[in-house]
Amino acid sequence: MSDISAVKALVFDVFGTVVDWRSSLIADCTSFGKARGVTADWTALVDAWRQAYMPSMDVVRHHPECGFVKLDTLHRQSLDVLVAKFGINGLSDDDLHHMTLGWHRLHPWADSVSGLTKLKTKYIISPLSNGNVALLTNMAKFAGLPWDLIMSAELFEHYKPDPQAYLGAAALLNLKPAEVMMVAAHNSDLDAAHKLGLKTAFVPRVTEYGPHQNRDFKAEGPWDVVADDFNDLAKRMGC
């Protein structure tokens, strides 16, 4: 473990790192379908919805001249395409809005709240997520996530891995990049942060994608801390 004595704040990837988006959304959509009498392969829909996540953000990242589009809007645009592709008929605008807000109702991993609560005793803790501010705020209320503040790509109008997101978070906290630690279950996220001078911590979530998981089973870079879960991370960070 490298020198992390200067770290004052930990910022977290959220989808997959803090919350179990896949199981949460499958359960949310399945419950919705039963209530509305709609039959569909909700598991396949959720997996396809997540697959649309990065490409939809890349369009925004690569075409700044078109303006920033928040993630709630991108999720809804992707859902509109997918319900047609999956032949799911009879859904109202309110139904589609409810489904989109499923991303606000994601459940935390079992160690997330306890680990964050411990880390909060010594460090500033915040999401640094591509989720928009309303999404992250509602999720925190729903899941009991004890953030000190909410930092979102929406604030910087740049999705990760654009440098503006990582450096913008440090600037908002009035900290140097080396005083901020990025925590993620994704090596690519940590690689982007590391290249900009942030400290890094890897926490594996090997069931994030269920049977489709094909990466991020282990740390694959020179990360400052590698922990088993958030409680272990808190221990390694002196909490």
Side-chain angles (χ1 to χ4, degrees):
M1 191 167 74
S2 63
D3 182 17
I4 56 172
S5 60
V7 172
K8 294 181 172 63
L10 275 66
V11 297
F12 292 76
D13 172 69
V14 173
F15 299 117
T17 301
V18 179
V19 295
D20 178 4
W21 59 265
R22 187 175 187 269
S23 296
S24 299
L25 279 174
I26 291 170
D28 197 85
C29 289
T30 300
S31 176
F32 162 79
K34 288 180 179 178
R36 289 284 281 107
V38 178
T39 301
D41 187 343
W42 298 115
T43 297
L45 176 73
V46 166
D47 287 333
W49 206 358
R50 181 62 174 182
Q51 288 170 9
Y53 170 77
M54 193 60 73
S56 69
M57 290 187 299
D58 282 344
V59 172
V60 177
R61 291 176 57 241
H62 296 151
H63 296 280
E65 72 278 4
C66 297
F68 186 78
V69 182
K70 66 182 179 181
L71 192 60
D72 272 344
T73 301
L74 297 179
H75 277 155
R76 174 59 190 270
Q77 291 172 350
S78 298
L79 180 62
D80 287 344
V81 172
L82 289 170
V83 293
K85 179 180 177 180
F86 279 78
I88 304 171
N89 300 311
L91 299 181
S92 67
D93 184 74
D94 285 346
D95 290 333
L96 294 168
H97 180 66
H98 173 83
M99 290 178 67
T100 301
L101 291 185
W103 290 93
H104 296 217
R105 298 185 293 268
L106 303 181
H107 294 272
W109 297 108
D111 56 278
S112 290
V113 174
S114 59
L116 289 173
T117 300
K118 292 171 187 173
L119 288 162
K120 185 183 172 81
T121 64
K122 185 175 179 180
Y123 302 96
I124 296 166
I125 61 168
S126 171
L128 180 56
S129 170
N130 287 329
N132 48 288
V133 173
L135 184 161
L136 295 169
T137 302
N138 292 335
M139 181 197 296
K141 297 286 282 186
F142 178 84
L145 305 174
W147 304 126
D148 289 310
L149 72 158
I150 299 288
M151 288 194 291
S152 156
E154 184 182 15
L155 297 175
F156 316 113
E157 297 194 343
H158 280 275
Y159 284 118
K160 296 185 298 177
D162 285 356
Q164 291 88 341
Y166 305 98
L167 297 178
L172 276 184
L173 294 172
N174 200 28
L175 296 175
K176 299 173 184 177
E179 295 175 315
V180 179
M181 174 176 281
M182 183 77 214
V183 183
H186 310 121
N187 286 283
S188 60
D189 201 354
L190 297 181
D191 183 57
H194 171 72
K195 288 176 178 176
L196 295 167
L198 280 73
K199 296 296 184 179
T200 51
F202 180 80
V203 178
R205 301 298 191 188
V206 299
T207 61
E208 177 186 354
Y209 289 89
H212 308 297
Q213 187 98 1
N214 59 14
R215 61 186 182 275
D216 295 320
F217 291 105
K218 62 181 181 179
E220 297 171 359
W223 317 141
D224 298 288
V225 179
V226 177
D228 296 331
D229 58 22
F230 280 10
N231 290 314
D232 185 41
L233 176 63
K235 182 178 179 181
R236 291 173 184 270
M237 296 300 293
C239 301

mmCIF file of all heavy atoms in Angstrom, residues 53-70:
data_model
loop_
_atom_site.group_PDB
_atom_site.id
_atom_site.type_symbol
_atom_site.label_atom_id
_atom_site.label_comp_id
_atom_site.label_asym_id
_atom_site.label_seq_id
_atom_site.Cartn_x
_atom_site.Cartn_y
_atom_site.Cartn_z
ATOM 1 N N TYR A 53 -25.794 1.948 -21.629
ATOM 2 C CA TYR A 53 -25.346 3.005 -20.725
ATOM 3 C C TYR A 53 -24.124 3.751 -21.257
ATOM 4 O O TYR A 53 -24.155 4.961 -21.479
ATOM 5 C CB TYR A 53 -25.065 2.362 -19.358
ATOM 6 C CG TYR A 53 -24.381 3.185 -18.304
ATOM 7 C CD1 TYR A 53 -25.078 4.154 -17.584
ATOM 8 C CD2 TYR A 53 -23.047 2.956 -17.976
ATOM 9 C CE1 TYR A 53 -24.456 4.879 -16.578
ATOM 10 C CE2 TYR A 53 -22.422 3.676 -16.967
ATOM 11 C CZ TYR A 53 -23.124 4.638 -16.279
ATOM 12 O OH TYR A 53 -22.515 5.350 -15.286
ATOM 13 N N MET A 54 -23.043 3.039 -21.489
ATOM 14 C CA MET A 54 -21.805 3.692 -21.931
ATOM 15 C C MET A 54 -21.931 4.284 -23.329
ATOM 16 O O MET A 54 -21.507 5.432 -23.553
ATOM 17 C CB MET A 54 -20.633 2.715 -21.846
ATOM 18 C CG MET A 54 -19.281 3.392 -21.989
ATOM 19 S SD MET A 54 -18.953 4.654 -20.725
ATOM 20 C CE MET A 54 -18.676 3.598 -19.287
ATOM 21 N N PRO A 55 -22.501 3.564 -24.304
ATOM 22 C CA PRO A 55 -22.654 4.177 -25.629
ATOM 23 C C PRO A 55 -23.471 5.471 -25.603
ATOM 24 O O PRO A 55 -23.141 6.420 -26.327
ATOM 25 C CB PRO A 55 -23.361 3.087 -26.436
ATOM 26 C CG PRO A 55 -22.940 1.809 -25.785
ATOM 27 C CD PRO A 55 -22.880 2.130 -24.321
ATOM 28 N N SER A 56 -24.504 5.518 -24.772
ATOM 29 C CA SER A 56 -25.323 6.734 -24.725
ATOM 30 C C SER A 56 -24.535 7.913 -24.166
ATOM 31 O O SER A 56 -24.663 9.043 -24.634
ATOM 32 C CB SER A 56 -26.592 6.495 -23.890
ATOM 33 O OG SER A 56 -26.304 6.328 -22.509
ATOM 34 N N MET A 57 -23.684 7.647 -23.165
ATOM 35 C CA MET A 57 -22.848 8.715 -22.607
ATOM 36 C C MET A 57 -21.742 9.114 -23.573
ATOM 37 O O MET A 57 -21.355 10.291 -23.635
ATOM 38 C CB MET A 57 -22.258 8.279 -21.266
ATOM 39 C CG MET A 57 -23.262 8.179 -20.149
ATOM 40 S SD MET A 57 -22.501 7.863 -18.551
ATOM 41 C CE MET A 57 -21.716 6.281 -18.861
ATOM 42 N N ASP A 58 -21.231 8.142 -24.326
ATOM 43 C CA ASP A 58 -20.177 8.455 -25.281
ATOM 44 C C ASP A 58 -20.651 9.425 -26.353
ATOM 45 O O ASP A 58 -19.889 10.281 -26.817
ATOM 46 C CB ASP A 58 -19.654 7.168 -25.933
ATOM 47 C CG ASP A 58 -18.710 6.385 -25.026
ATOM 48 O OD1 ASP A 58 -18.223 6.974 -24.035
ATOM 49 O OD2 ASP A 58 -18.469 5.196 -25.307
ATOM 50 N N VAL A 59 -21.909 9.311 -26.740
ATOM 51 C CA VAL A 59 -22.465 10.262 -27.710
ATOM 52 C C VAL A 59 -22.390 11.681 -27.153
ATOM 53 O O VAL A 59 -22.003 12.631 -27.843
ATOM 54 C CB VAL A 59 -23.914 9.896 -28.063
ATOM 55 C CG1 VAL A 59 -24.551 10.998 -28.913
ATOM 56 C CG2 VAL A 59 -23.967 8.568 -28.811
ATOM 57 N N VAL A 60 -22.743 11.828 -25.862
ATOM 58 C CA VAL A 60 -22.692 13.137 -25.222
ATOM 59 C C VAL A 60 -21.244 13.615 -25.101
ATOM 60 O O VAL A 60 -20.931 14.779 -25.384
ATOM 61 C CB VAL A 60 -23.351 13.080 -23.822
ATOM 62 C CG1 VAL A 60 -23.233 14.431 -23.117
ATOM 63 C CG2 VAL A 60 -24.821 12.676 -23.947
ATOM 64 N N ARG A 61 -20.354 12.716 -24.697
ATOM 65 C CA ARG A 61 -18.954 13.074 -24.502
ATOM 66 C C ARG A 61 -18.302 13.508 -25.807
ATOM 67 O O ARG A 61 -17.487 14.436 -25.830
ATOM 68 C CB ARG A 61 -18.178 11.891 -23.910
ATOM 69 C CG ARG A 61 -18.540 11.546 -22.465
ATOM 70 C CD ARG A 61 -17.807 10.312 -21.961
ATOM 71 N NE ARG A 61 -16.373 10.466 -22.068
ATOM 72 C CZ ARG A 61 -15.574 9.685 -22.804
ATOM 73 N NH1 ARG A 61 -16.095 8.671 -23.474
ATOM 74 N NH2 ARG A 61 -14.289 9.900 -22.847
ATOM 75 N N HIS A 62 -18.649 12.856 -26.901
ATOM 76 C CA HIS A 62 -17.991 13.108 -28.177
ATOM 77 C C HIS A 62 -18.641 14.228 -28.980
ATOM 78 O O HIS A 62 -18.107 14.631 -30.021
ATOM 79 C CB HIS A 62 -17.951 11.824 -29.005
ATOM 80 C CG HIS A 62 -17.129 10.736 -28.371
ATOM 81 N ND1 HIS A 62 -17.376 9.390 -28.567
ATOM 82 C CD2 HIS A 62 -16.065 10.788 -27.524
ATOM 83 C CE1 HIS A 62 -16.501 8.676 -27.877
ATOM 84 N NE2 HIS A 62 -15.696 9.504 -27.234
ATOM 85 N N HIS A 63 -19.778 14.723 -28.504
ATOM 86 C CA HIS A 63 -20.464 15.813 -29.211
ATOM 87 C C HIS A 63 -20.850 16.924 -28.239
ATOM 88 O O HIS A 63 -22.032 17.214 -28.035
ATOM 89 C CB HIS A 63 -21.697 15.278 -29.936
ATOM 90 C CG HIS A 63 -21.374 14.300 -31.029
ATOM 91 N ND1 HIS A 63 -20.943 14.705 -32.277
ATOM 92 C CD2 HIS A 63 -21.382 12.939 -31.039
ATOM 93 C CE1 HIS A 63 -20.711 13.624 -33.021
ATOM 94 N NE2 HIS A 63 -20.969 12.548 -32.303
ATOM 95 N N PRO A 64 -19.829 17.569 -27.643
ATOM 96 C CA PRO A 64 -20.119 18.631 -26.673
ATOM 97 C C PRO A 64 -20.880 19.794 -27.278
ATOM 98 O O PRO A 64 -21.549 20.542 -26.549
ATOM 99 C CB PRO A 64 -18.719 19.052 -26.201
ATOM 100 C CG PRO A 64 -17.789 18.631 -27.299
ATOM 101 C CD PRO A 64 -18.382 17.372 -27.848
ATOM 102 N N GLU A 65 -20.782 19.932 -28.582
ATOM 103 C CA GLU A 65 -21.500 21.040 -29.236
ATOM 104 C C GLU A 65 -23.017 20.892 -29.118
ATOM 105 O O GLU A 65 -23.761 21.869 -29.274
ATOM 106 C CB GLU A 65 -21.095 21.126 -30.710
ATOM 107 C CG GLU A 65 -21.630 20.016 -31.604
ATOM 108 C CD GLU A 65 -20.809 18.712 -31.545
ATOM 109 O OE1 GLU A 65 -19.850 18.648 -30.735
ATOM 110 O OE2 GLU A 65 -21.136 17.783 -32.305
ATOM 111 N N CYS A 66 -23.480 19.686 -28.816
ATOM 112 C CA CYS A 66 -24.924 19.445 -28.675
ATOM 113 C C CYS A 66 -25.414 19.688 -27.251
ATOM 114 O O CYS A 66 -26.617 19.619 -27.000
ATOM 115 C CB CYS A 66 -25.251 18.016 -29.102
ATOM 116 S SG CYS A 66 -24.904 17.682 -30.849
ATOM 117 N N GLY A 67 -24.492 19.965 -26.334
ATOM 118 C CA GLY A 67 -24.883 20.221 -24.953
ATOM 119 C C GLY A 67 -24.912 18.957 -24.114
ATOM 120 O O GLY A 67 -25.012 17.832 -24.630
ATOM 121 N N PHE A 68 -24.823 19.145 -22.817
ATOM 122 C CA PHE A 68 -24.824 18.012 -21.886
ATOM 123 C C PHE A 68 -26.243 17.476 -21.712
ATOM 124 O O PHE A 68 -27.208 18.237 -21.645
ATOM 125 C CB PHE A 68 -24.268 18.450 -20.528
ATOM 126 C CG PHE A 68 -24.109 17.323 -19.555
ATOM 127 C CD1 PHE A 68 -23.036 16.452 -19.644
ATOM 128 C CD2 PHE A 68 -25.037 17.123 -18.537
ATOM 129 C CE1 PHE A 68 -22.880 15.397 -18.743
ATOM 130 C CE2 PHE A 68 -24.894 16.082 -17.637
ATOM 131 C CZ PHE A 68 -23.806 15.219 -17.749
ATOM 132 N N VAL A 69 -26.373 16.162 -21.642
ATOM 133 C CA VAL A 69 -27.663 15.497 -21.426
ATOM 134 C C VAL A 69 -27.526 14.644 -20.174
ATOM 135 O O VAL A 69 -26.637 13.782 -20.101
ATOM 136 C CB VAL A 69 -28.059 14.613 -22.625
ATOM 137 C CG1 VAL A 69 -29.429 13.975 -22.385
ATOM 138 C CG2 VAL A 69 -28.057 15.424 -23.911
ATOM 139 N N LYS A 70 -28.374 14.859 -19.184
ATOM 140 C CA LYS A 70 -28.234 14.131 -17.918
ATOM 141 C C LYS A 70 -28.642 12.670 -18.073
ATOM 142 O O LYS A 70 -29.372 12.290 -18.998
ATOM 143 C CB LYS A 70 -29.044 14.804 -16.816
ATOM 144 C CG LYS A 70 -30.545 14.782 -16.997
ATOM 145 C CD LYS A 70 -31.217 15.538 -15.857
ATOM 146 C CE LYS A 70 -32.738 15.540 -16.027
ATOM 147 N NZ LYS A 70 -33.389 16.298 -14.919
#
